[in-house]
Amino acid sequence: MKGISTPLIRLAKVLSKNFLSHNPSNPYFGTIETTAHCNSGCAFCPYSHYDFTDYTELSTKQVFTIIDQFDEIGIGGYSFLGAENTLRQDVPEIGRYLKEKGIASQLCTNGILLERRAEELVPSVDCVMVSLDSVDRQIYKRIRGVDALPQVLRGIEAALDYAQGNGCAIITNTVICSKNLGQIPDIVEYATNELGVHGMVFDQVTLPENWKNVDRSLDSKINWENHLHTINKIQELKEEGYPILTTSPYFEALKNPQVSFRCRPYLWVTVNHKGEVAVPCYDSEYTKFVSLLGETKLKDIWFSQETKDLRKKVEDCHKCHMMCTIEISKLVGEPFSHMDALYEWVQNAMMMRKRASIPISKPSKAMAAEIKMSS
């Protein structure tokens, strides 16, 4: 492993390049859609009604080829994109390859197969993020389309067991939607005090107009009063010391009915299941896909004038309400305006490391607050 190629050093270098550039385009994060197959049927997700006509999936070698191109332009963080990546047998191999490159990795999963595969998956990545949209079995089923909450909870417990001593953070992600607005405090309490996860993040359900066959009644903003109350409650719980990792700029954006922000699509690279990079972003009326498996390389596409011109067309697009879009655009794209939140990111990393180092399965609320304060 190259000693200098740690994710922290990589991200610091990209940050410096973007600060010094009048036309920043150096990406921090990369993601590859390694599969479109799923064992859930989420009502808000386009993968639940995916058209598999002429579908192809990248081989392990092809994924490595694209990761090599991520490495070449200095990407420091990688997230497994797609439907359910634990359905692929080579995820541990991909995770180990990322570690060799010094690229931090995050595996996003619904958790259904996690109990069975935790032993091989957890040591291979830096973070496992498990979807947990409810702790009520029936509400979970209505949102996720499968009766799998018990398996998911067992999977989280198994992941936490295997995470001890190897530095992998086990966190949960909750998609805020109309079906779980009243459940949020219960989810936070259970994840912290019963499961003992290392952190929690929250996402606003996103339902772009071009996504077909999704249940638009899940939009939490339909009942604006309850939506706003829920966002405020999450922030209160965060202040009380619960290990909520989502930062204030994202929550504040969700309190605006228009969710206004300036999108910075140059900060992340998204590659689809065919090995094609999306420019300027994955979901826009201007999006085009260019293969990275032939003669054309990512560095040639990403820094081209054509791509820069396309990015300007989506700067004022507010269609994506996901944390990965808004939070990164605000904190990394406008760092001088969000120094407190950037510092909070550092604190969050320290908090996760400290929680992961304590071999307990059910930490108390008081201990959660103590850990945060000491971080």
Side-chain angles (χ1 to χ4, degrees), residues 50 80 118 184 247 257 306:
Y50 199 87
F80 285 84
I184 300 300
T247 59
E306 180 185 4

Side-chain angles (χ1 to χ4, degrees), residues 132 172 186-197 200 355:
L132 186 63
T172 58
D186 293 337
I187 296 171
V188 173
E189 183 77 27
Y190 191 92
T192 305
N193 296 335
E194 295 298 321
L195 295 173
V197 298
M200 290 172 277
R355 288 182 67 84

Side-chain angles (χ1 to χ4, degrees), residues 353-364:
R353 289 175 67 89
K354 191 157 190 176
R355 288 182 67 84
S357 69
I358 299 176
I360 54 176
S361 58
K362 297 182 180 181
S364 67

Side-chain angles (χ1 to χ4, degrees), residues 73-220:
I73 63 174
I75 283 176
Y78 177 94
S79 182
F80 285 84
L81 175 69
E84 181 50 44
N85 278 285
T86 61
L87 292 171
R88 281 188 66 127
Q89 296 304 307
D90 60 355
V91 169
E93 188 178 354
I94 295 171
R96 289 190 293 270
Y97 193 74
L98 288 160
K99 285 181 180 288
E100 290 175 7
K101 296 290 183 179
I103 300 175
S105 60
Q106 174 178 276
L107 173 63
C108 303
T109 174
N110 59 29
I112 294 174
L113 297 179
L114 193 54
E115 181 182 20
R116 185 191 311 170
R117 300 198 63 191
E119 185 175 6
E120 58 172 336
L121 290 171
V122 171
S124 68
V125 295
D126 297 294
C127 177
V128 176
M129 183 166 71
V130 187
S131 298
L132 186 63
D133 297 333
S134 179
V135 290
D136 179 286
R137 191 166 179 171
Q138 292 306 312
I139 294 176
Y140 178 94
K141 184 179 179 179
R142 284 200 293 271
I143 296 172
R144 289 277 161 179
V146 290
D147 184 13
L149 181 59
Q151 295 98 299
V152 172
L153 297 179
R154 291 196 303 269
I156 295 172
E157 291 174 342
L160 286 164
D161 287 341
Y162 285 111
Q164 293 189 35
N166 66 29
C168 180
I170 310 300
I171 66 176
T172 58
N173 175 55
T174 299
V175 176
I176 303 168
C177 66
S178 61
K179 301 295 184 185
N180 65 3
L181 285 178
Q183 273 257 303
I184 300 300
D186 293 337
I187 296 171
V188 173
E189 183 77 27
Y190 191 92
T192 305
N193 296 335
E194 295 298 321
L195 295 173
V197 298
H198 303 144
M200 290 172 277
V201 297
F202 289 87
D203 247 326
Q204 164 68 35
V205 66
T206 294
L207 302 165
E209 294 178 2
N210 61 316
W211 285 13
K212 300 178 180 179
N213 300 315
V214 293
D215 185 354
R216 300 190 182 280
S217 71
L218 289 173
D219 188 350
S220 64

Side-chain angles (χ1 to χ4, degrees), residues 16 47 153 161 215 277 337 368:
S16 299
Y47 285 115
L153 297 179
D161 287 341
D215 185 354
V277 61
S337 300

